[in-house]
Amino acid sequence: MHIASQFSQPRPDRPSRRSRRTAVRCGVAAAGAAIALLTAGPAAAAPVPVHTQTPGCMTPGDGVPNGKQWPAEPAMTVDPNAGYTATLQTNCGTITATLDAAAAPHTVNSFAFLAGEQYFDNTRCHRVTTEGIFVLQCGDPTGTGTGGPGYQFGDENLAGATYPAGTLAMANSGPNTNGSQFFLVYSDSQLPPNYTPFGRITDGMDVLQNIAAGGTKDGSGDGAPATDIVLGSVTTARR
């Protein structure tokens, strides 16, 4: 998925680096599309590493994602009237966020369910964009941008949606294709209101911005982070 589901669920392969760079140059509309899952482009050559290790990041452990799958969206267990938090432990530091169950109850419910199933644990954040949309994209156990939990659910909280720095939102491949992939915005992004915002980062923006400053493995504006960024664990709690 791209920032669009996942920025999606069933997902096509990611576009080639050339098509992603073209999307960025085409402006905000194209940036929104790039954030969604797109049809695969021609096979790309292996990237030439530009960076080796982002300062402050540890070498990830050797744990593997569990890759569980479910046939349908989980039953609602969150209370829309309650407050929830999320803690993302990465090999570059900890990021915490508040989750908006009132505005996006199904999204928060799914995120909390997957976190409780340890679905996000040991997964790699497969995409960082340093042009146009300014996001780190995570939540795909395959690390390819095409993976998900086996179910999809509808969009929420899109009316007037904006994506300032600190936003936590779902990626997708089109309307109502949310699954497990999500993105974190590290600088104000001019994305169109197509991606369910469901939380706000409360601590760890420095961690996120440090990851973004490391750039991509191939030096492009959209690709795999220069250093492998792995979610060691993701947990949620009711406040």
Side-chain angles (χ1 to χ4, degrees), residues 149-230:
Y151 64 83
Q152 295 180 331
F153 59 94
D155 298 322
E156 298 178 297
N157 198 28
L158 295 185
T162 58
Y163 306 89
T167 299
L168 177 63
M170 294 301 293
N172 60 53
S173 55
N176 302 312
T177 59
N178 301 290
S180 61
Q181 291 185 41
F182 60 92
F183 61 95
L184 305 94
V185 182
Y186 65 86
S187 183
D188 293 353
S189 182
Q190 298 302 311
L191 285 165
N194 297 337
Y195 312 103
T196 297
F198 68 100
R200 293 285 303 168
I201 295 172
T202 55
D203 194 22
M205 277 297 294
D206 57 332
V207 173
L208 181 59
Q209 290 167 345
N210 182 55
I211 292 170
T216 61
K217 288 187 184 297
D218 63 357
S220 70
D222 184 347
T227 292
D228 285 342
I229 309 303
V230 174

Side-chain angles (χ1 to χ4, degrees), residues 105-129:
H106 287 270
T107 306
V108 172
N109 185 69
S110 175
F111 188 87
F113 168 78
L114 293 174
E117 291 288 335
Q118 300 181 318
Y119 181 82
F120 298 121
D121 294 8
N122 304 309
T123 60
R124 182 168 56 86
C125 294
H126 61 277
R127 182 186 190 199
V128 67
T129 61

